[in-house]
Amino acid sequence: MTHKLGTAGAALIKKWEGCEKKRADGRFDAYPDPGSKDGKPWTIGWGSTGPDVKPGTIWTQAQCDARFDVDIVKYVEDVAMFLGAAPTTQAQFDALVSFHYNTGAIASATLGQMHKAGRFDDAADQFARWIYNDGKPMNGLKSRRADEAALYESAVPSCVKQPLPIATADVRVVNAGSGLNVRIGPSTGAAKLGALKRGAAVTVLEDTGDWVRITYQGRAAWVNDQFLTAA
């Protein structure tokens, strides 16, 4: 099945990316990521980033539109390749492309795995997990994820109505040489519960993008995902 981004998906992405920051002369300035500590990645137009986007970059509307048309091709191809032959409606595909355009996580997210397993209700619930930037919940991301989930749930493949297989466990391994701190919440400011040694395997129960929820000594806990590798 050949997937293409639909009009609803393109409109949703552009709604939330916006075409920022417009100057008095009608052109657009590059701007820092509002949720990151160092401002990276610098962004312009419809959420475009890259080595050519940096402080002082200025584009016309035509340049912003043309770059979006180029950039979106990769995200559409990524999602289509990941899904393979998994039953997927146009609405679901559009929502997943919007999610991937914003997070780049279609292949690693529990959301994607649940969709491929046909667990559409569970997959829809996963959108709300991805609301964090640099460990902090963002109101804009909450609203975007709600829109993506609504689009995703607007249609369900008719061929998937029977009991469905359960997705395989998301097991990851600690790759930090000095070990990995385990905390009570998804933030470096949250209290520390303990630490995991390099090579320790954990089962991910929730993935917010920067942090994942696990069970540690019988209680809910969080670790930073950048120090984990898929098992």
Side-chain angles (χ1 to χ4, degrees):
M1 179 180 181
T2 301
H3 290 289
K4 295 182 179 179
L5 183 67
T7 55
L12 181 60
I13 293 171
K14 287 187 173 182
K15 171 186 175 180
W16 286 109
E17 294 297 341
C19 200
E20 306 286 351
K21 299 269 188 174
K22 194 170 186 178
R23 299 156 47 99
D25 62 6
R27 296 185 297 168
F28 297 85
D29 285 321
Y31 58 92
D33 186 305
S36 68
K37 294 178 180 178
D38 59 5
K40 297 179 180 179
W42 278 73
T43 308
I44 195 169
W46 302 108
S48 297
T49 61
D52 59 332
V53 181
K54 51 188 179 293
T57 299
I58 302 173
W59 285 358
T60 64
Q61 181 71 65
Q63 286 176 297
C64 294
D65 294 344
R67 178 60 169 267
F68 176 80
D69 290 341
V70 171
D71 287 349
I72 197 63
V73 171
K74 174 185 181 299
Y75 293 93
V76 170
E77 290 178 346
D78 286 349
V79 175
M81 182 175 296
F82 172 75
L83 294 178
T88 307
T89 66
Q90 183 64 57
Q92 287 177 326
F93 184 76
D94 285 359
L96 292 172
V97 172
S98 176
F99 170 79
H100 185 52
Y101 189 81
N102 181 237
T103 66
I106 188 62
S108 60
T110 302
L111 190 163
Q113 297 170 13
M114 287 181 169
H115 176 85
K116 289 184 72 172
R119 296 173 56 185
F120 303 124
D121 289 342
D122 291 334
D125 290 341
Q126 286 292 314
F127 282 98
R129 311 293 190 188
W130 291 77
I131 61 172
Y132 296 89
N133 190 332
D134 199 24
K136 300 177 181 178
M138 306 287 288
N139 288 332
L141 289 178
K142 290 179 182 178
S143 298
R144 178 172 184 157
R145 296 289 99 87
D147 273 3
E148 289 168 347
L151 178 59
Y152 180 91
E153 292 183 293
S154 64
V156 176
S158 59
C159 59
V160 183
K161 293 184 177 180
Q162 302 301 317
L164 299 163
I166 298 175
T168 56
D170 183 359
V171 179
R172 305 181 195 181
V173 177
V174 176
N175 61 32
S178 58
L180 177 59
N181 288 332
V182 181
R183 301 185 182 276
I184 64 172
S187 168
T188 54
K192 181 179 173 182
L193 290 175
L196 296 169
K197 295 182 179 180
R198 179 181 177 86
V202 297
T203 298
V204 174
L205 304 177
E206 178 181 343
D207 189 332
T208 68
D210 294 326
W211 293 79
V212 297
R213 180 168 61 87
I214 65 171
T215 297
Y216 180 76
Q217 296 181 348
R219 62 180 295 184
W222 295 81
V223 293
N224 195 306
D225 187 45
Q226 67 176 310
F227 300 110
L228 297 174
T229 303

